[in-house]
Amino acid sequence: MNGDYRDQFDALERSWQERWERERLWSAPQRPTGRKYYALEMLPYPSGRLHMGHVRNYSIGDAVARFRRMRGDAVLHPMGWDSFGMPAENAAIQRGIPPAKWTTDNIATMRAQLRRLGFGYDWGREIAAHRPDYYRWNQWFFLRMLERDLAYRSRREVNWCDSCKTVLANEQVEGGKCWRCDSVVGKRELDQWFLRISRYSEELVAGLDRLPAWPEAVRSIQENWIGRSIGAIVRFPLVAAGGDSAADGIEIFTTRLDTIYGATFSVVARGHPILARVPAGSPQAAALEELRREVAARREQGHEEETAKRGVDTGLQVRNPYSGESIPLWAGNFVLMGYGTGAIMAVPGHDERDFEFATRYGLNVRVVVESRAGSGTIPPRRDAGGIPTAAMTADGVLVNSGPYNGLGSATARARMVADGAKDGRARESIQYRLLDWGISRQRYWGTPIPVLYCDRDGVVPVPDQDLPVILPEDVPLTGTGGSPLAQSASFVTTTCPRCGGSARRETDTMDTFIDSSWYFYRYCDARNTKAPFDPAIVAAWFPIDLYIGGINQAHLHLIYARFFTRVLRDLGLVTFDEPVVQMMCQGMVLKGGTAMSKSKGNIVDPDELIRRYGADTTRLFTLFAAPPEKDLEWDDQGVEGCFRFLERVWRLFAPRASALAAARDPGPKDGADEPRRAGLRRKVHRTIQKVTHDLDRRLHLNTPVSSLMELLNETADVARQERAGDEPYLKEAGRTLALLLQPLAPHVSEALWEGMGGSTSVLKEPWPEADPFWLTEDEIDLVVQVNGRLRGHVRVAKDAPEADAVSRARADARIATHLEGKDLRKTIYLPGRLLNLVVQ
RNA sequence: GCCGGGGUGGCGAAACUGGUAAACGCAGGGGACUUAAAAUCCCCUGGCCUUCGGGCCAUCCGGGUUCGAGUCCCGGCCCCGGCACCA
C-alpha cells in the first residue's frame, strides 16, 4: 500500500473484483440457516449499456447487501435480465441483427460493466427471460391459470399502438400514449388472452394497508389504479308500450343511491345490449348507428374520449324502482361499457357530468339533496326561475325523496340499499377500475402462448410435457404488422394432442411484464429443471427484505408482482400474500434539471467515470449526492470531491499502513485520560454507531458518507500532530474506517484493511460494534437557554443535579446578563443535554 | 377536480422520538508551500447591526400549541408525481 491512489485505483479495483469472484464470496447458500436477507434490485432490460440510473439503483442495493453480509446474515443478492422485449426486435428490423444475438451481446457488455463496478451478485443464479429454461415456466404458469379460469380468451376493445404494431395493457398506456414509443394509442377490437387480475382487486387494494414499509406514493398510486368504489347496483325495468314494466331492463351502478329520486333520465354505453330493443329501421336506430360510427372512428385514431358529451334518445323508457317514475333512456358517448354495468342513472342536479349532458339536451334537473344547515357546503345555485345552474355534488339532507325525506345522505344510502335488497330492486356492489390484464402481443421477441387451435377440439392447451414451446428462429421480421410467428409454417402447423388432427399454434406472444412478475422466485432456485422453483427453498428465502427500483413501476410491475404472488399462493406454491417487505423507490439521476437522455445530450457515461475515477468514486458519489429516494442532480465537481476524499484516505493511511499493521490494538479504556486520543476514540465509536444506525434502520446512505468524512478529518487532525505512541489509536481509526467503508466504497475498503494487517476480505469480517464506554463523557458542555434561546454553555458532569447546573449557569457572565433584573419562573433541565431558564 | 409527495444558505444537503438550524460536500474568498502554476495543506463563508463582548432576523407565507417548533396542529401559496367522463 503505497504511491498515489490516482495511479492505482484501476488495478486495485480489478484485483479485488477478481478475488471476490475467485473466492465466490457472493455465492448464497441453497437454503439459509439462521438470519437471512434477500436484497433485490429491479432487473435491467439489456438495452446495450448501463446508464447512471442503473448505477444508482445497484449501488444502493449493493451497499445494503454488503452491510447485511458483514452483520452476519445469509445474503441473497442476485441479478438477471429482463431480456424479452421490443428493442431487440426493432434492432433486427432496422439493422438485420437477430434478436437473440443482439440480446446476448448486450447482456455480455452490461454484465461486464456490473462486474467492473464491483457489485456483489451471485452470478450462479443469473437468469435471462429469453432463455427457454426461464420462459417455459411462464408457459407453465399460464397453463395453470387457464385451468383455474384465471386466463381466458375474449374479444374486446383493446389499446393498440400503431407504431409498435401491438396491443398494450392499460397499465402500459400513459396519458393516452404508448409507454415505450410515446405515440398516440388507439382502440381496436381484437381476440386476446387476458389474465383475470380483477379476481384479486379487493385483495390487492386491501393488502396495501399491510405494507407499512412501502412508500406512501406507491401505495397511493396502486390504490388509485385499482380504484375501488362502494355503491349499489339498481335494476331499472324497461317500460313496455302499454306502460307496464317489461321483463327485461337495465342495471345501473351508482355510488349516490341517495340521489335516485333526482334521476331524470338514464344513459347506457353505446355497446349496451339493451340497445337491441330499439326498433330496427326507426329514426332512433339510425341516430344510434351514426353515434357509434363517429365514436369508433375517433377512437381508432387515438382521440381517447371526446370532451363534449353526446348522446341519442333511444325512445325507450325505464322505470325508477324507487320513485316509480318513467324516465327516458339515452345512449351516450361518455358512459363506458367496461366499467360498472355500462349504464347509469343520470342525476343532473347532483352530478356534474349528468348536468352537462342534461343542459345540452334540455333534460330535466331536479334537486333532491339540500345542503345541511351549517355544514359549509354550497347550496345548489339557481337562476331567477329557481332552476339550478350547477350540480350540487356534496352530501346533504334529502328532499323530494318520498319516504327518505329528511335523512342525511349517508344514512339514506344505507337505508335505501337495505330496502332495495329486500325486494330485489337493488343490491350493494363494489366496483373496481382495475381491468383484466391483456397479455397477447403481436410481436416476435416474447414467450409463445402455449395453446393451439384445433378445428375439432377448439382451444387446446399445450400439455405440460411438451413445454417449452420454443420460440422459432426462422421468422422474418419486417415490422409491417401482424404476429411474426404466423409467418413460420413449421411453428404454426402442429397436431392436436387430443385428436391427433391438424392444429394451428397461437402466434401471439406474452406481454414481457409476465417475465418480471415472478423472476424473484426463480432466483431462489434458478437451475431447477423440474419446476419453476422448490417451494421449500422459496419459503426459506422469502419474503424479499428490500426491493429497490423506480417508482415508475408502481402501477405496472409492482401490481403484477403482487398479483402473481397471490396466484402462486392459490396454486399452493407459496404461503404468503406479499412478496416484498420493504420497497424503496430511488429517484432519477438528472443533469441540468432533467432526466439524462440522448436527445438532450446530457448523458453521463458510467464507463467514462470508472476510467477517470474508478468504481468506488462513482458509487460513492451516487450515494452521497442525495438521499436514495430523491432525484439526484449530477455534479461533476461533486464527483471530484468524492474522489478527493478517497485520495485523502489513501494519503493518510498508505504511508503508515505497515507501521499501523504492526502496532498493538488499544485496550478498552486506553487513552481515556489523554484528551486528543480520547477525542479520537469517541469519534471512532460514535461513527460506528451513526453509520450502523443509518444503514440498518433508516436506509440513509448519504449520511454515512458524511460521517466517514468527519472521521477522516478528525483522524487527520490527530495525525498532523502525531506523537510517539499514537499508533494504536490511529490503527483503530484506520481499521474502523476500512470496515465502515465496505458498503460504500468496497475496493478502497479492502485495500486499506489488507494494508493495515487484514488477512482476509472485509466481507468476512464482522461489522464493528460501538463500545458504550466511548459514547458518553463524564463532563459535557451543557446547552443553556434563556426563554428558549441559546445563551451559552457550561461545563458540568453529565448527570449533575439541577441545582448545580443552574448555579453554574448563573455564574456565567453572558448568561447572567440575560437573567439580570428578572424573576426565574421555571427551569427545564434535561441532564446531559440542555438547561432552559424561563424568566420574566 | 381527486389522491399522494415536497418547499431549509450561492448549490447538493444535515438536524434520531419537539431541545445548540445549516453537519458533510460543492462553489467562492483569504493564507501557507512554490521562481510560477497545478496539486496539497490551513483558515473564513446565511442576512443585518456591532462599542467586536455580542445583539437582532432567518427553515415558503399567516396563525396556533409549547419553557422551547424546520419538526406538532389549523389556514393559505407554490412545485413535483399519479389518476381523471370510473357513474
Side-chain angles (χ1 to χ4, degrees), chain A residues 143-161:
Chain A
L143 294 174
R144 300 291 82 76
M145 291 198 222
L146 199 56
E147 288 162 2
R148 290 166 175 257
D149 192 34
L150 283 167
Y152 63 95
R153 194 167 166 80
S154 170
R155 184 171 187 83
R156 63 176 70 161
E157 191 179 66
V158 290
N159 304 301
W160 176 264
C161 175

Side-chain angles (χ1 to χ4, degrees), chain A residues 95 148 240 314 366 525 594 611 694 697 730:
Chain A
R95 288 180 273 157
R148 290 166 175 257
T314 63
R366 185 185 303 151
D525 193 14
T594 47
R611 201 178 55 70
D694 285 355
R697 304 241 43 89
L730 293 174

